[in-house]
Amino acid sequence: MSARGRCARVLPSDVNKVCPERGDEPATHPSKMSDFEVVPNLQQSSSSVSRSRRKAHFPAGSNEKENLISWIPENIRKKECTYFVESSQTSDSGRIVCECGYLREQHLDDAAKPPIFLGKEWDPSRHIQEMPTDAFGDIRFTGLGQKTGKYVRVSSDTPPRVIYHLMTQHWGLDPPNLLISVTGGAKNFVMKPRLKNIFRQGLVKVAQTTGAWIITGGSHAGVMKQVGEAVRDFMLSCSHKEGDIVTIGIATWGTVYNRESLVCPMGGFPAEYVLDEENQGSLSCLDSNHSHFILVDDGTHGRYGVEIPLRTRLEKFISEQTKVKGGVAIKIPIVCVVLEGGPGTLDTIYNAITHGTPCVIVEGSGRAGRCHRAGGQPARGQDHHCPDPEQTQCPLPGHLRIQDIVRSRQLLTIFREGKYGQQDVDVAILQALFKASRNQDHFGRENWDHQLKLAVAWNRVDIARSEIFTDDHDWKPSDLHPVMAAALISNKPEFVKLFLEQGVRLKDFVTWDTLVYLYDNLAPSCLFHSKLQKVLLEEREHTAGSKVPRLQMHHVSQVLRELLGCSTQPLYPKPKQAERPRLSIPVPHIKLNVQGSSLRSLYKRSPGRVTFTMDPVRDLLIWAVVQNRRELAEIIWAQSQDCMAAALACSKILKELAKEEEDTDTTDDMLALAEEYEHKAIGVFTDCYRKDEERAQKLLTRVSEAWGKTTCLQLALEAKNMNFVSHGGVQAFLTKVWWGKLSVDNGLWRVITCMLFFPLLYTNLITFSREKRLQPPMGCLARLRAFFTAPIVIFLMNTLSYFTFLLLFAYVLMVDFQPAPSWREYLIYFWLFSLVCEETRQLLYDPDGLGIVKMASLYIKDFWNKLDICAILVFIAGLTCRLIPSTLYPGRIILSLAFIIFCLRLMHIFTVSRTLGPKIIIVKRMMKDVFFFLFLLAVWVVSFGVAKQAILIHNEERVEWLFRGVVYHSYLTIFGQIPSYIDGVNFNIDQCSPNGTDPYKPKCPETNGDNNTPIFPEWLTVILLCLYLLFTNILLLNLLIAMFNYTFQQVQEHTDQIWKFQRHDLIQEYHGRPPAPPPLILLSHLQLLLRRGLLRQPATQHKLKEKLEKNEEAALLSWEMYLKESYLQHQQCQEKQNTEQMIRDIAQRVDVLAELLDLDRVKRTGVVEQRLGSLEDQVHQSAQALRWMMQALRGNGFSSAEDVPPVGSSTALGTKELALEGRAEESQPPCHVLARNLLYPGSHILRFPVPDEKVPWEVDFPLYDPPAYSADHKDMAVQDPFSLSLESLLKINYNTMDGLIDRQSFHGLYAVQDGLPLNPMGRTGLRGRGRLHCFGPNHALHPVVTRWRRNLDGSIIRKSLKKMLEVLVAQYPLSDVWALPGLGRPTGQCPPRPQGALREVLRALLSWHPHAQVHKGYLDDPRNTDNAWVETVAISVHSDTQHDLEMKRLNSFLQGCDPELCIRWQVLDKRIPLHANHKELLHKVSTLLGAYY
């Protein structure tokens, strides 16, 4: 046997062999590790390893790896045998081994002859010592890709918290939301292909959706291999964003094959591991599909099961930890999944059930997968996960242990392939956890809260809908507030939608403290979070504080105002000192915890201390949008009232965040979401505009208090939502504003005519909008004022004034520019002064109070304002030079340049034209193309010009001629003006200066001194010229044309849209402009100065805003919200009618249909197998009967042995057993089940276990020794004696009327033995009468009171074309199971006995209502014993009308009764949570009435 992984003492040479990249290992001394020695190291490591720097694989030389190398040897040990004792067994190769299983050379050098242990037997507790581990790091499976995992070799005595610290702090694993412990057969087994696929898909689905850890044995065989292959298939099919599944293998170090490759004292990064199944022998290879390995070492070799105690302790430790995520803190739940296995697996199930761990058994996987069949013996075989022999005591026999497992129904879940409601393993696992939680540490509302926290932590809204939000519990909206906050923080939109459906009102949920808590829990990677931190740091710098100030909502408002624009007021103004009381508990430390303080404290304050926000939907919508949470924001937007403004504001915020976002994918997502919200706003506005144009236009200009006193139109302009602004309704509104009080039907020529000859206003040439609406006519002054204050008239007058100014300016420049200014020139100066005054007014006009600095920045951003400033400054410069006699001519030149700029200003006037406006936009876009094209052209021009100048001319020192030769001539060459001297043919010496002395001639090229002929290489200059013209004329100019063409096509498609968007600026400018044109506008400026300066009157609001009254605004918003709902419904209909969606729906239906057909095939196969099994039973019984008859006849001499025909063989039983193994459905037990529950209700008495085959009294059961129990009911006057003395029992008369007690059974005469009657259904495991009052039958009456389930309008609800019923049920406070109320004699806890008033109501119902008997006989009740049992008569009492007086009396009683009585109406179907025997009664009633069940 070769040395495998045994490195007891590593020398420097050995280190170089195993880990050649490592140095020498420091000397270590064996020592026993205690818990106290680890505490300082753990604390030190937790501070040195940051959670934010976790990685799946550390690069070589990183700090994380160095911390791991130093931490693991200090805290984690391995075990070594220090005393060699020869064993009686040998190795596989026949060599002598120690009692520990290792060879002599695999021990320490001094382990062969230690003097202290001479003459002593080998004792593991003394002869095995601990020392620092020598195997840890990264593991890579050779030949199976580059995926690496983590591994470590640990001692079997390692504390679980050390391993948990290693996994979470150093390996970088997040604490799990669920722990799945998979156990079963350790040897390879065969599963049905369908069951294998269901198991694999369900396991990885529950692990991936809940963030669970899967713990297995880690070897490449059996159930561990199945789990590994499931994870592998998932990783191959999923995307990178779905994340990895944490699969932890806990194996025994001494049984791992090829473990010597893992030994490396300084850590293997990575360690190469070879998976060799052919040569592993009795050992096991590690599974390559696991992500982490914990290899447990007890110092022995080849002994399986060493890891079981440590695995058990580790799982228990993890299940006691608390996971906090998204404000929810829960104890990590654990579930055991069983797949195949043998007796060891059966012990594991029993151990898990004993400790309260729920188990899910996959039926059909074989062996232990059939252990739930009570009384059956599981098959024998090798099993992997056995219980801890030191902790688990199993004194019961195997079949009794199976019965105890089966009776713990709340902890046991059987996954059956094809069972209704259990098509997926993941659903079965989660349902098992919920079922277990209902029967453990939580009761009442706390139990439901705990289950809801689990569902939120797992993000399984399907489980929450089916298991939590049912008719069994009524949820108050306030109870859902804490988990609502957790769902928001964890970005679980489906849960948010579910909570809103359950009645959570955002108005009650969102408070100031809740908002602060939500913003405190922003994702650190969020851009908005970094902007908030920047604001807090700036505030700290301004206040000169040492600590970062606490986040407040006014900090959020600062960032939001940057995103929304300064046209909006702060959404959350800064509060004054002590304006709002704060929490006594700091909000960031409040968690939704099961034990401690919870987020619920935010909502449990007195009403005077809770401050609600103005618009909670807006606040949550902003919080979701700034984090780019699409689904969450869409759900919240659907709840908004001011929905159009909300959509436009979200679009603006997202576009601004996208500008600063560095991640390209996130930027694209933000821009796509911004466009989606713009489309939402367009859709709502379209529906509003179709219904009522006037009210829709009011929505555009309504001042929204919720969004910073801005308007929808202003938000759309700030966000540059061109699609919205170019909408027909918005353009109609702008046209209406453009015409003012004039009718839009007036022709332009009519307006110009009346503008020139205003007396025509009093004719019918011009119509006003008021007159068109059939209102009283306007007066003369009113008509005059309305006409000249219309924006279109103001525009036309200013245009006419500007053209007059340009004509006069041109006349002065060309005709009347004298040394002394003429009156015309003075008029130009006066005109320009009026223009300057108007620009100043535009700069200082600040109706929103933004400040002069902000107004100046907004003014400068406009291109036309920049052009105005440039023209005015150039004109002032020219005027200054013109007034100085010595610079008269330069002044005229500068004024000429100013005239050019003033002419360019005309393009702004032309933007109002629908024809010229789009062309001006195209020209502006093309100017950008030309600007970038000049950079490319300059490269060729300069390169050719410099080369040409250097080749032709020698030492040209004149700068102006250098510029001409390099740039100017080269540029003109592009357009065909080629220099004559460049080729020497047309060279003329008279056209140049030989020495460069003539200032008006260029310097001559290099020439021959004799005949003045050029000597430069003509061939070279010609080639350069041809190449230059080729690239510039053909390539670059055509490139410019192509760029122009692309820009034209691109802009042409959206030209109309862009023009409509920019049209608003012109309309708004002239809407707020004084009506008089320059230079008469100075009169308006003077009036404004008097009103603002002397009279102190506020500025007039000329912007397109309208402040509505509260009632009008509320009605308008309600109308908008109604149309928003209509829009959303229309969108849903369109999505359903979409071709792609229809194809997906059809594909999904086909998949469901195929699944149902497959399930039906499985069921039919199971039924056929069941029938065949029954037929085999009958044949076997007939064969036995015939054999007995033949033996009897032969014994009496009727026949000889030679004539006996073959009747059957003993192999029939074996065939029967093989056939029964594959049954898919479990038959109903022929005997009572509830009456054999292990724990008798209402006591601590344990029944004697009774297998199914031992229930009948006819079957001999010598070991049957049940305990006796009879309760003493002191409050009852009539009861049998509770002692079993023969003297007291002989006074009882059975099978007849015994005084007032009827002891007659519905099933006829029953047997009496030793004075005690025998239960006609057989043994129950308990003697006496238990909690019943009489020996023998205890008669009861169960009225099944039903009514039709109705809608609010009184119509009967139907399902599957059948009417639905509601039944009256009752429940005890500490019970989760409902039951039918009983009458007659008291029956204890189950079924509950109604109060006196209700009893009278039920008796009245029986006396007045017709009723029918549905059952009469024995009732399988948990209180039944061998000598006392319950017999009942079930009567159906049905109310067919909703006007029944007795039913109304019953309903009034239910409304006013004690809440702890728990009596209510329950919808009747097969999933109703009742006792099984009561369900049978309800089934009969529904069949009798023809109702749905």
Side-chain angles (χ1 to χ4, degrees), residues 1425-1438:
T1425 65
D1426 289 353
N1427 313 119
W1429 60 93
V1430 177
E1431 294 187 5
T1432 185
V1433 176
I1435 297 176
S1436 172
V1437 182
H1438 178 68

Side-chain angles (χ1 to χ4, degrees), residues 246-284:
V246 178
T247 313
I248 303 173
I250 304 179
T252 303
W253 169 264
T255 61
V256 176
Y257 183 68
N258 280 340
R259 62 182 178 272
E260 66 276 0
S261 60
L262 304 179
V263 176
C264 190
M266 300 302 294
F269 296 98
E272 298 290 341
Y273 182 83
V274 179
L275 197 156
D276 187 6
E277 292 185 275
E278 296 181 358
N279 303 319
Q280 66 182 7
S282 60
L283 302 180
S284 300

Side-chain angles (χ1 to χ4, degrees), residues 1156-1214:
L1156 292 176
L1157 292 175
D1158 202 1
L1159 290 175
D1160 183 66
R1161 180 185 59 79
V1162 172
K1163 289 182 179 179
R1164 283 190 281 104
T1165 304
V1167 171
V1168 171
E1169 292 179 354
Q1170 184 177 358
R1171 291 180 178 179
L1172 289 176
S1174 300
L1175 183 61
E1176 289 180 357
D1177 289 341
Q1178 295 177 5
V1179 171
H1180 181 67
Q1181 292 176 2
S1182 300
Q1184 287 182 340
L1186 290 175
R1187 187 180 294 106
W1188 177 81
M1189 294 170 60
M1190 287 186 293
Q1191 289 177 356
L1193 291 173
R1194 188 173 62 252
N1196 293 327
F1198 288 96
S1199 178
S1200 60
E1202 290 79 6
D1203 298 332
V1204 177
V1207 185
S1209 62
S1210 60
T1211 59
L1213 181 61

Side-chain angles (χ1 to χ4, degrees), residues 810-1041:
Y811 177 80
V812 170
L813 287 176
M814 295 185 298
V815 178
D816 194 18
F817 196 83
Q818 306 296 334
S822 62
W823 66 271
R824 300 179 187 85
E825 192 170 349
Y826 279 118
L827 179 58
I828 292 175
Y829 301 158
F830 181 71
W831 210 310
L832 182 68
F833 176 73
S834 66
L835 294 177
V836 173
C837 291
E838 174 59 22
E839 296 298 325
T840 305
R841 184 198 65 82
Q842 296 179 14
L843 176 63
L844 300 178
Y845 179 67
D846 186 16
D848 297 326
L850 300 178
I852 185 63
V853 177
K854 189 62 183 177
M855 288 303 300
S857 63
L858 294 176
Y859 179 84
I860 294 298
K861 286 182 180 179
D862 188 76
F863 171 76
W864 302 111
N865 289 336
K866 295 177 184 177
L867 198 62
D868 289 337
I869 294 175
C870 180
I872 292 172
L873 292 179
V874 173
F875 187 91
I876 293 174
L879 177 60
T880 304
C881 296
R882 187 253 181 280
L883 296 178
I884 301 175
S886 60
T887 57
L888 178 63
Y889 182 69
R892 191 176 69 175
I893 295 175
I894 297 176
L895 289 175
S896 302
L897 297 178
F899 179 81
I900 296 175
I901 302 176
F902 278 117
C903 288
L904 293 177
R905 187 64 172 80
L906 284 174
M907 289 192 298
H908 179 53
I909 298 175
F910 296 150
T911 55
V912 75
S913 172
R914 195 181 190 91
T915 304
L916 295 178
K919 302 303 183 290
I920 294 174
I921 296 171
I922 294 176
V923 171
K924 290 174 62 177
R925 295 291 182 91
M926 288 183 175
M927 290 297 294
K928 297 180 180 179
D929 295 339
V930 172
F931 178 77
F932 291 107
F933 171 78
L934 290 178
F935 285 100
L936 296 176
L937 184 63
V939 175
W940 291 95
V941 170
V942 173
S943 61
F944 174 74
V946 171
K948 176 183 70 69
Q949 185 75 12
I951 294 173
L952 296 179
I953 300 172
H954 179 68
N955 293 339
E956 176 63 77
E957 297 179 354
R958 295 174 296 177
V959 177
E960 64 277 9
W961 283 104
L962 277 176
F963 179 80
R964 281 173 172 266
V966 173
V967 178
Y968 181 63
H969 289 166
S970 299
Y971 179 74
L972 293 179
T973 303
I974 300 176
F975 302 99
Q977 295 187 12
I978 302 175
S980 59
Y981 54 83
I982 198 168
D983 58 352
V985 176
N986 299 323
F987 175 71
N988 187 358
I989 193 65
D990 297 331
Q991 296 179 355
C992 61
S993 174
N995 298 322
T997 56
D998 191 350
Y1000 301 102
K1001 292 183 180 180
K1003 190 176 181 179
C1004 293
E1006 293 287 341
T1007 57
N1008 190 346
D1010 297 335
N1011 52 8
N1012 293 327
T1013 58
I1015 61 173
F1016 58 87
E1018 299 178 14
W1019 61 272
L1020 180 58
T1021 55
V1022 171
I1023 292 176
L1024 291 178
L1025 178 63
C1026 294
L1027 292 176
Y1028 174 68
L1029 293 177
L1030 174 67
F1031 281 98
T1032 54
N1033 276 17
I1034 299 178
L1035 181 62
L1036 292 183
L1037 289 181
N1038 283 280
L1039 175 63
L1040 180 61
I1041 295 173

Side-chain angles (χ1 to χ4, degrees), residues 1270-1305:
S1270 297
D1272 184 12
H1273 299 280
K1274 297 181 180 180
D1275 57 337
M1276 300 301 298
V1278 180
Q1279 63 175 344
D1280 286 346
F1282 55 90
S1283 64
L1284 298 182
S1285 61
L1286 185 61
E1287 181 181 356
S1288 60
L1289 295 176
L1290 291 176
K1291 299 179 181 179
I1292 303 175
N1293 298 320
Y1294 297 105
N1295 290 309
T1296 184
M1297 286 295 297
D1298 187 11
L1300 298 177
I1301 303 177
D1302 184 8
R1303 301 188 188 273
Q1304 302 177 78
S1305 174

Side-chain angles (χ1 to χ4, degrees), residues 397-689:
H399 68 282
L400 299 181
R401 194 157 59 249
I402 294 177
Q403 293 180 17
D404 291 343
I405 293 174
V406 174
R407 288 195 178 99
S408 301
R409 298 179 182 272
Q410 72 277 7
L411 296 176
L412 192 65
T413 300
I414 310 300
F415 175 77
R416 296 181 177 91
E417 179 189 4
K419 182 181 177 182
Y420 175 77
Q422 275 195 358
Q423 287 82 9
D424 297 320
V425 175
D426 62 312
V427 177
I429 292 175
L430 300 180
Q431 287 178 344
L433 289 165
F434 282 157
K435 186 168 65 173
S437 67
R438 295 171 187 164
N439 296 272
Q440 292 183 352
D441 300 333
H442 308 283
F443 301 97
R445 194 189 71 177
E446 184 181 355
N447 172 37
W448 293 102
D449 287 346
H450 177 71
Q451 296 184 32
L452 185 56
K453 293 170 190 172
L454 291 177
V456 173
W458 297 336
N459 196 20
R460 293 300 298 262
V461 71
D462 55 333
I463 299 297
R465 290 182 184 274
S466 61
E467 299 291 332
I468 299 176
F469 292 99
T470 60
D471 295 334
D472 299 335
H473 181 68
D474 294 329
W475 288 91
K476 296 180 180 179
S478 59
D479 296 338
L480 300 176
H481 286 176
V483 285
M484 177 73 169
L488 287 170
I489 295 173
S490 303
N491 192 20
K492 296 172 181 176
E494 292 297 329
F495 270 101
V496 174
K497 185 177 181 180
L498 176 62
F499 296 150
L500 292 175
E501 293 173 357
Q502 296 299 322
V504 173
R505 296 180 60 196
L506 296 181
K507 182 178 180 181
D508 300 332
F509 167 71
V510 180
T511 62
W512 283 101
D513 297 323
T514 307
L515 278 180
V516 173
Y517 180 79
L518 292 176
Y519 278 103
D520 274 331
N521 287 274
L522 287 177
S525 59
C526 175
L527 175 62
F528 195 84
H529 179 269
S530 61
K531 295 177 76 67
L532 275 179
Q533 296 301 317
K534 183 179 180 181
V535 169
L536 293 176
L537 292 176
E538 291 177 353
E539 182 173 330
R540 185 187 68 174
E541 294 176 357
H542 293 162
T543 57
S546 59
K547 294 183 179 180
V548 178
R550 184 179 174 185
L551 178 66
Q552 300 293 340
M553 291 309 299
H554 66 270
H555 298 136
V556 179
S557 181
Q558 292 182 31
V559 182
L560 289 177
R561 198 174 187 194
E562 295 178 5
L563 300 177
L564 289 173
C566 293
S567 61
T568 59
Q569 299 295 324
L571 300 185
Y572 310 107
K574 188 173 183 179
K576 299 178 181 179
Q577 293 295 332
E579 178 181 341
R580 182 172 57 89
R582 298 300 303 166
L583 282 173
S584 57
I585 303 175
V587 177
H589 298 286
I590 295 180
K591 300 170 183 176
L592 181 59
N593 203 323
V594 178
Q595 292 90 7
S597 61
S598 68
L599 192 71
R600 198 181 303 277
S601 59
L602 289 174
Y603 309 98
K604 284 189 175 181
R605 283 183 210 91
S606 61
R609 296 194 62 189
V610 178
T611 305
F612 296 98
T613 61
M614 181 179 67
D615 191 342
V617 180
R618 173 206 66 180
D619 301 330
L620 281 187
L621 180 62
I622 293 175
W623 180 83
V625 165
V626 297
Q627 298 180 86
N628 196 27
R629 295 182 174 181
R630 179 188 295 268
E631 297 85 1
L632 197 59
E634 185 174 356
I635 294 173
I636 300 173
W637 181 82
Q639 304 291 323
S640 62
Q641 189 175 18
D642 195 358
C643 54
M644 198 162 67
L648 294 171
C650 291
S651 177
K652 169 65 175 174
I653 292 173
L654 289 167
K655 287 183 178 181
E656 292 299 323
L657 288 175
K659 294 178 182 178
E660 303 181 31
E661 181 61 48
E662 297 179 356
D663 186 25
T664 306
D665 295 336
T666 306
T667 301
D668 296 339
D669 293 340
M670 286 182 175
L671 293 177
L673 186 57
E675 185 178 358
E676 182 178 336
Y677 275 107
E678 183 182 359
H679 287 311
K680 290 180 184 295
I682 294 173
V684 174
F685 182 73
T686 300
D687 290 349
C688 294
Y689 190 73

Side-chain angles (χ1 to χ4, degrees), residues 697-703 711 713 733 1104-1106:
Q697 291 175 358
K698 278 188 178 181
L699 289 173
L700 293 175
T701 58
R702 179 190 64 88
V703 175
T711 64
L713 184 59
F733 168 73
L1104 305 179
K1105 289 185 177 182
E1106 184 179 2

